[in-house]
Amino acid sequence: MARAKKTRLSPQAAEYRHQEKTPARPDVGTQPQFKKRAPPKTWRYDSSLSPALEWDGQNAAREQGEALIAELEARVRELRTTLAQQISPSFQPSPARGEGKKGKTGEAHEKKTPSPLMGEGGGGGEEPRRLLDEAEEALRRLKALSKPFLNWAGKAERLSFDVPTLPLFIHERLSTRAILETLKGHKQDKQLGLFDLFADPQRPIHEQVLRAYEYQDQWVNRMILGDSMVVMNSLLHYESLGGQVQMVYMDPPYGVKFGSNFQPFVRKRDVSHNDDDDMTREPEMVQAYRDTWELGLHSYLTYLRDRLLLSRELLAPSGSIFVQISDENLHHVRELLDEVFGATNACPILIFQKTTGAGSPSGRTDLPPVTTDFILWYAKDIERVRYKQVFAPKVRGEAGATQYDLIEIDGKRRPSTAAEKANPPYGGRFFAHDNLTSQTGGPTTQFEVEFEGKRFYPRKGGWKTNHEGMERLRAANRLFVVGESLRYVRYLDDFPCSVVTNKWDDTVISGFGDPKVYVVQTTSKVVERCLLMTTQPGDIVVDPTCGSGTTAYVAEQWGRRWITVDTSRVPLALARQRLLTATFLWYELKDESGGPAGGFVYKHRQNEKGEEVGGIVPHIMLSTIANNEPPPEEVLVDRPEEAKGITRVSGPFVVEATIPTAMDFEEAAPPSRSSPVKGEGAKIRGEGAGEEGTNFLDRMLEVLRKSPVLRLEGNRTVTIENVRRPAKTLSLSAEAMVANGAEKPVAFVFGPENGAIAERLVYEAAKEATAKNYAHLYVVGFAIQPTARQLVDSCEAAIGISATYVQATPDLMMGDLLKNMRSSQIFSVCGLPEVALRKANRPAHVVPPQPGSTAGKEAWYEIELLGLDVFDPVTMEVDHRKGDDVPAWLLDTDYNGLSFHVCQAFFPRTAAWDSLKRALKGEYEDAVWEHLAGTTSVPFEAGEHGQVAVKVIDDRGNELMVVKSVKEAK
Ligand SMILES: C[S@@+](CC[C@H](N)C(=O)[O-])C[C@H]1O[C@@H](n2cnc3c(N)ncnc32)[C@H](O)[C@@H]1O
């Protein structure tokens, strides 16, 4: 099978590939050319649920309610008149609907003249039907008014809300198999198919630009940086994903305290919530926090309801949403779900054990510890919900198997001893006795049975079977006497599984090989159960609260397609590492060429002891023995056939973002004093946010005035004064004088509030600053694109003015959140990762090209990460970190200037790759893996673009990237 060959390139490392198609998203770097911009989408709530419509004498509710009643009455009156005229002039409708049918006159007329309402007469029935529909709608809304609802500050005003409609750009392409291939010395090359390993269709730029979202590419799983609401809106608008998602798993922050919601460091799981040092400083996160928690619980409810509404749009008719929550807000969130999904679509609340008793007091140590969390589960449509029962192994003595106290051993039956219970003896069969009689019985089930010298007769009703069936039970040795009753013998192994109910006690310990990396990580088993109950292989699963990627990890394990979203870089860095380095079992596919959507293979299998170990298990019951029928079979969805000897790794996945990383400069000119348009500065954010943008520019200027010290490389500082907006500027944001510096002023350009500075911004600002004879250009922002950074560094030679990139610390966004923020030294200069690109020898394990081969002259390179300047916003100091003191760094050996292909991924001084290393023992030398836990790459050959890119992830999840031409190699 062709596909089998492709998905199992190496016999030991294989992956699942999904064959479904998906609209092609453009690569990052093509944003300025992206033409399919769309206005913000307005989402509306059902106004009949508006909290303004309360039934009390004080507010508008009564008035509105009365208007609705009047409307209803008018429609009904109209309807009656119309009906009366259409049916017969002599027809006298009775006052209430339906009553006329009972009257003799009505009956006679209805027979002669079919009612248009009934649709029998054809034609003429449209108007009454419409009127009736309107009447019923008014009635429905009235009824909704009479129901109690949850109200909170701001709800009444939010009958609708706008969400920016932003495209998603692919920033990174990741493939564990591609990494494994580059470790073998394979070049990222079209012939060798490495692009195929990344599932990169290699669309030319003009296609990406002109026809973004028009092509259909092969599906790849997706990790998206951005606010879940913006991302879901994008999926709905640009990809028409509405109605296609089978499951949404949402694990929002439980509480409303700022500090308790985030993990600010990649490598520090224990967060002290009161510690200023432990606060997150990611601009996106701070903004999300401000939007979400400003009014405490009130904004929390607004935040959740909006996201639930969009989740509902995404769900397929048979889909489900699971919302994980603690007891603190359980009741509120349930109200929200009732409101958005409808109370009738509620499925059982799932209760799962999160800790054992110790260590999780409920806040007061004199009250019981809280050991459980909850999952609120709603179907999109309860009538159509996809649900598959899951089973857990039946363990004697535990829930569902507490009655199996008797044992049958050496042909004898007796109570089991404590020792036997603790250590079941070989050949022993535990059993329980069960009722043989039924309340309802007929003559065929009422008869005398003689057994072991005693006579038995069913007291009430009859036996559960007839005479013949009873003889079969006797022959199968299923009869047993307890006192004066004849009972049925039910063996523990008649069905070795128990039904999983809504209470999950076995969820405390996370699976082996899946350790906790994130402070609020959900145990995989919890997500796994939800997924197995409600989805099939190949289905789409969305998690708008990715965290460390548990849903993605579980979905990958079970061959589901996944999309996961987080607004924070720290969890995404963790999730990326978790997926990239994970190993999974290979479950046999029914149709390998069709991918997981064809389903897994399940078989009936027993081990040497005769125990059922396959995924299809017979369910022996009294009725099957009595009726001499083969027992029905249950499919244990979590037990597909495993192929031994294959290590499965994650399939290719991409990292995307909504964050407008680059600005279309023509549309988003930086603000200027001369600008006639109020709030023009807003465009700098790329989202047309009106006032806010001006506020951002004002804030930046204000802070620049208050903290006029810029920290430059080499511990130098520059103090500026007289900060002001330049007159008549096209692209500059500010000008200032340098204290004790040149006579001429220096110019400033500010990058966007929510994205990275683009090359174009630097170019335009530098041109203007040169023309206006400024002494220097400072390019200030929270992040900068690699090409923009390169232009800053070569600005003097290229454009004629020296320029410096100045990193604004995200503390700027924190304001009052960071109480002891020192307002000085807000701006620093952030160094780039320091890397060395060297020529290297061909690795020993790589086979040299055949003499006369067309492979060309080999040239091997290696990259070493020497270090990184890290700015600490708390101490306000720049700290130089050695290369091995970063959580992760990534290498693209043939950077195309657009998306980053992760050809090698390094997690220095960690055991991140150990599970794969163990699984692939023998395939690679240990030295190869040592590279991936260090600072020097595995030697590689350059690709067609002649440049490599190195991306370093710092402890706060920030990504810093450098690009080097291979010509620079020493
Ligand atoms: C409780 S954690 C989820 C943990 C996850 N279940 C796991 O197993 O790791 C909630 C996550 O939601 C993210 N988050 C909060 N608000 C968000 C938003 N508006 N959009 C996207 N992600 C958000 C947070 O950054 C955090 O990582």
Side-chain angles (χ1 to χ4, degrees):
M1 269 184 276
R3 178 54 54 183
K5 229 176 172 180
K6 278 188 144 187
T7 54
R8 300 190 197 176
L9 191 84
S10 133
Q12 273 88 20
E15 67 189 4
Y16 288 156
R17 278 289 182 107
H18 297 278
Q19 298 304 313
E20 293 83 353
K21 298 287 178 204
T22 182
R25 281 90 59 209
D27 277 6
V28 67
T30 61
Q31 310 88 304
Q33 287 74 35
F34 185 80
K35 293 287 178 285
K36 297 193 174 75
R37 285 161 201 267
K41 160 94 181 156
T42 303
W43 292 92
R44 292 182 202 289
Y45 286 108
D46 180 351
S47 60
S48 70
L49 297 170
S50 161
L53 307 179
E54 282 173 85
W55 278 109
D56 79 38
Q58 301 300 311
N59 62 26
R62 188 173 42 77
E63 240 171 67
Q64 216 164 344
E66 280 167 4
L68 281 174
I69 292 170
E71 192 183 324
L72 185 57
E73 277 175 348
R75 293 283 175 271
V76 169
R77 241 193 331 267
E78 240 180 289
L79 178 62
R80 290 194 187 294
T81 316
T82 315
L83 267 179
Q85 283 167 355
Q86 280 188 358
I87 293 170
S88 159
S90 63
F91 177 72
Q92 288 297 312
S94 51
R97 190 180 138 199
E99 282 178 16
K101 287 182 190 170
K102 290 178 198 150
K104 274 190 179 162
T105 330
E107 263 171 35
H109 278 289
E110 276 178 7
K111 272 177 197 157
K112 270 192 229 151
T113 318
S115 158
L117 257 186
M118 300 299 140
E120 294 162 31
E126 292 310 312
E127 187 59 7
R129 218 174 275 132
R130 184 187 65 76
L131 294 170
L132 191 64
D133 286 352
E134 281 181 19
E136 277 171 0
E137 172 59 15
L139 201 59
R140 187 189 69 75
R141 291 166 67 187
L142 262 180
K143 279 186 185 158
L145 288 183
S146 67
K147 294 207 180 102
F149 57 81
L150 184 66
N151 201 1
W152 63 85
K155 187 181 184 190
E157 296 78 36
R158 203 175 169 81
L159 284 179
S160 68
F161 58 97
D162 288 349
V163 185
T165 306
L166 298 179
L168 297 167
F169 291 95
I170 296 182
H171 285 235
E172 259 176 43
R173 296 179 190 271
L174 299 105
S175 155
T176 308
R177 275 178 69 213
I179 293 176
L180 292 174
E181 288 307 309
T182 30
L183 293 188
K184 284 185 182 159
H186 284 169
K187 188 158 72 155
Q188 185 174 313
D189 175 299
K190 278 185 189 147
Q191 275 79 40
L192 284 167
L194 272 203
F195 283 112
D196 182 48
L197 292 184
F198 284 110
D200 182 352
Q202 289 282 288
R203 292 215 177 277
I205 295 182
H206 69 270
E207 280 188 8
Q208 293 195 37
V209 165
L210 297 176
R211 305 195 51 191
Y213 284 108
E214 284 177 28
Y215 290 99
Q216 293 287 314
D217 282 340
Q218 196 187 339
W219 175 275
V220 275
N221 291 324
R222 309 163 66 176
M223 213 173 257
I224 306 176
L225 174 68
D227 186 302
S228 50
M229 193 150 71
V230 179
V231 172
M232 288 194 276
N233 189 45
S234 177
L235 297 176
L236 290 162
H237 174 85
Y238 283 109
E239 302 179 38
S240 308
L241 210 67
Q244 295 190 50
V245 171
Q246 195 56 37
M247 162 178 156
V248 173
Y249 193 92
M250 195 188 273
D251 174 18
Y254 289 169
V256 295
K257 283 185 226 88
F258 177 54
S260 62
N261 290 308
F262 319 108
Q263 178 175 322
F265 295 103
V266 176
R267 289 179 298 183
K268 188 173 170 201
R269 197 156 52 76
D270 306 315
V271 185
S272 148
H273 298 315
N274 297 324
D275 190 344
D276 182 46
D277 205 14
D278 278 352
M279 282 244 189
T280 181
R281 277 159 174 90
E282 295 171 64
E284 299 88 2
M285 205 63 243
V286 173
Q287 191 184 322
Y289 170 75
R290 284 205 186 284
D291 294 349
T292 311
W293 284 277
E294 207 161 32
L295 288 178
L297 186 56
H298 299 275
S299 2
Y300 181 66
L301 294 173
T302 303
Y303 152 93
L304 261 187
R305 189 173 67 139
D306 293 352
R307 281 155 185 83
L308 293 176
L309 188 76
L310 270 75
S311 301
R312 189 176 176 282
E313 288 299 307
L314 284 173
L315 279 180
S318 57
S320 289
I321 183 168
F322 297 91
V323 182
Q324 184 182 326
I325 200 76
S326 70
D327 62 350
E328 193 185 358
N329 284 320
L330 173 70
H331 52 310
H332 293 316
V333 179
R334 181 158 194 173
E335 290 277 7
L336 290 187
L337 281 155
D338 271 358
E339 195 174 296
V340 177
F341 283 83
T344 49
N345 290 316
C347 302
I349 294 188
L350 307 170
I351 304 159
F352 69 94
Q353 190 94 22
K354 60 173 173 179
T355 52
T356 49
S360 67
S362 54
R364 275 178 52 171
T365 45
D366 55 342
L367 294 176
V370 176
T371 60
T372 58
D373 272 344
F374 303 87
I375 296 173
L376 291 163
W377 169 20
Y378 279 68
K380 170 88 172 260
D381 176 356
I382 196 90
E383 298 297 329
R384 299 207 262 173
V385 67
R386 175 176 296 163
Y387 170 68
K388 185 93 193 132
Q389 175 67 55
V390 288
F391 298 93
K394 200 187 264 175
V395 181
R396 203 211 58 75
E398 291 186 3
T402 48
Q403 293 158 343
Y404 293 85
D405 279 345
L406 300 161
I407 193 164
E408 181 182 294
I409 192 159
D410 300 331
K412 297 208 175 64
R413 287 169 171 167
R414 58 171 170 77
S416 56
T417 63
E420 284 166 338
K421 282 179 187 139
N423 206 354
Y426 187 78
R429 271 180 108 185
F430 287 103
F431 70 98
H433 55 83
D434 205 347
N435 207 348
L436 245 184
T437 57
S438 121
Q439 300 277 14
T440 53
T444 57
T445 60
Q446 290 164 346
F447 51 88
E448 193 178 73
V449 180
E450 198 183 323
F451 184 68
E452 293 181 350
K454 287 188 180 175
R455 287 162 191 277
F456 301 91
Y457 195 84
R459 264 179 236 149
K460 269 190 260 165
W463 299 115
K464 280 186 174 164
T465 181
N466 59 18
H467 211 280
E468 206 182 353
M470 188 63 82
E471 287 315 304
R472 289 201 186 105
L473 291 177
R474 184 198 300 272
N477 200 17
R478 290 283 177 151
L479 301 182
F480 185 63
V481 178
V482 179
E484 295 303 308
S485 306
L486 187 61
R487 308 277 293 173
Y488 168 71
V489 170
R490 184 189 302 284
Y491 293 106
L492 184 65
D493 55 19
D494 277 351
F495 184 54
C497 307
S498 53
V499 165
V500 170
T501 67
N502 72 324
K503 189 166 153 280
W504 302 348
D505 300 326
D506 53 352
T507 46
V508 175
I509 298 159
S510 132
F512 177 73
D514 179 24
K516 190 165 171 164
V517 291
Y518 193 41
V519 61
V520 281
Q521 184 170 331
T522 310
T523 309
S524 316
K525 197 166 196 172
V526 172
V527 184
E528 179 177 83
R529 285 239 166 101
C530 300
L531 178 130
L532 291 174
M533 284 193 308
T534 57
T535 67
Q536 291 171 354
D539 280 346
I540 303 179
V541 171
V542 169
D543 186 339
T545 52
C546 171
S548 58
T550 306
T551 304
Y553 177 85
V554 169
E556 184 68 44
Q557 175 176 357
W558 291 102
R560 272 63 167 174
R561 290 179 282 160
W562 51 266
I563 302 175
T564 190
V565 186
D566 207 295
T567 192
S568 173
R569 290 161 199 277
V570 169
L572 282 186
L574 296 168
R576 182 212 276 121
Q577 173 175 339
R578 187 171 176 196
L579 268 296
L580 206 55
T581 59
T583 55
F584 306 99
L585 296 171
W586 177 277
Y587 302 126
E588 280 181 24
L589 300 176
K590 277 194 198 148
D591 168 16
E592 246 183 62
S593 61
F600 297 136
V601 174
Y602 290 88
K603 284 190 183 154
H604 180 196
R605 273 190 304 112
Q606 290 185 325
N607 66 10
E608 291 156 0
K609 291 195 221 161
E611 291 162 345
E612 297 291 340
V613 289
I616 299 180
V617 177
H619 193 160
I620 300 168
M621 292 180 280
L622 185 155
S623 57
T624 58
I625 302 172
N627 299 336
N628 199 23
E629 288 165 351
E633 288 177 330
E634 302 281 3
V635 176
L636 309 184
V637 279
D638 60 346
R639 242 198 246 170
E641 287 297 298
E642 292 165 18
K644 301 280 177 240
I646 299 178
T647 300
R648 182 158 66 89
V649 294
S650 291
F653 61 100
V654 289
V655 175
E656 297 171 40
T658 52
I659 293 174
T661 47
M663 310 309 304
D664 184 337
F665 199 68
E666 273 151 22
E667 289 184 32
S672 67
R673 211 202 315 244
S674 61
S675 160
V677 186
K678 186 169 183 266
E680 192 187 338
K683 290 184 186 164
I684 205 166
R685 307 176 64 225
E687 293 173 33
E691 281 296 309
E692 282 173 52
T694 316
N695 289 344
F696 172 63
L697 178 70
D698 287 343
R699 202 151 22 108
M700 291 287 278
L701 281 168
E702 192 55 28
V703 180
L704 208 52
R705 284 185 192 117
K706 278 196 186 148
S707 49
V709 182
L710 308 179
R711 298 175 64 89
L712 306 187
E713 262 158 336
N715 237 354
R716 289 176 304 123
T717 54
V718 167
T719 306
I720 48 170
E721 48 198 30
N722 297 338
V723 180
R724 58 175 183 259
R725 289 196 190 177
K728 291 195 181 137
T729 175
L730 288 171
S731 36
L732 300 172
S733 312
E735 62 179 27
M737 300 304 293
V738 172
N740 308 321
E743 288 292 296
K744 286 193 290 182
V746 292
F748 288 82
V749 61
F750 298 154
E753 185 176 4
N754 287 321
I757 295 165
E759 192 180 358
R760 192 88 176 269
L761 186 77
V762 179
Y763 177 68
E764 297 291 340
K767 262 194 341 191
E768 188 179 341
T770 314
K772 293 189 173 162
N773 216 6
Y774 282 101
H776 190 81
L777 173 68
Y778 287 101
V779 180
V780 184
F782 296 106
I784 185 162
Q785 289 204 335
T787 46
R789 178 68 205 233
Q790 277 171 346
L791 183 58
V792 169
D793 291 346
S794 59
C795 209
E796 188 150 23
I799 305 173
I801 185 166
S802 57
T804 310
Y805 171 57
V806 183
Q807 170 102 28
T809 85
D811 281 13
L812 259 178
M813 324 276 290
M814 305 284 287
D816 52 316
L817 290 175
L818 199 63
K819 295 202 175 52
N820 58 356
M821 181 178 90
R822 279 187 272 155
S823 61
S824 63
Q825 299 175 353
I826 287 294
F827 300 103
S828 74
V829 176
C830 189
L832 284 177
E834 212 186 324
V835 299
L837 173 63
R838 292 187 290 258
K839 290 199 172 126
N841 294 326
R842 177 182 349 105
H845 64 273
V846 175
V847 187
Q850 299 288 317
S853 117
T854 51
K857 199 164 163 284
E858 281 182 288
W860 291 83
Y861 302 91
E862 67 181 14
I863 277 275
E864 185 183 1
L865 176 66
L866 301 171
L868 177 72
D869 279 342
V870 179
F871 177 76
D872 183 337
V874 175
T875 61
M876 297 282 167
E877 270 162 20
V878 177
D879 187 14
H880 182 79
R881 298 270 166 84
K882 290 209 300 255
D884 64 358
D885 197 20
V886 299
W889 64 285
L890 313 168
L891 169 65
D892 183 346
T893 57
D894 186 19
Y895 181 56
N896 64 4
L898 300 171
S899 64
F900 189 106
H901 294 76
V902 181
C903 304
Q904 296 186 25
F906 308 86
F907 304 105
R909 294 194 290 146
T910 69
W913 287 107
D914 277 12
S915 131
L916 204 56
K917 176 178 160 185
R918 270 193 305 275
L920 299 181
K921 204 165 174 49
E923 273 225 0
Y924 297 92
E925 293 157 21
D926 279 1
V928 168
W929 298 105
E930 279 161 22
H931 281 287
L932 297 190
T935 54
T936 306
S937 74
V938 180
F940 57 89
E941 278 188 282
E944 63 182 272
H945 299 99
Q947 57 179 7
V948 300
V950 175
K951 193 186 268 192
V952 179
I953 319 290
D954 80 6
D955 237 340
R956 287 193 183 267
N958 294 316
E959 295 178 0
L960 303 147
M961 190 163 125
V962 274
V963 180
K964 295 242 169 210
S965 159
V966 291
K967 291 191 196 125
E968 295 174 43
K970 303 250 162 48

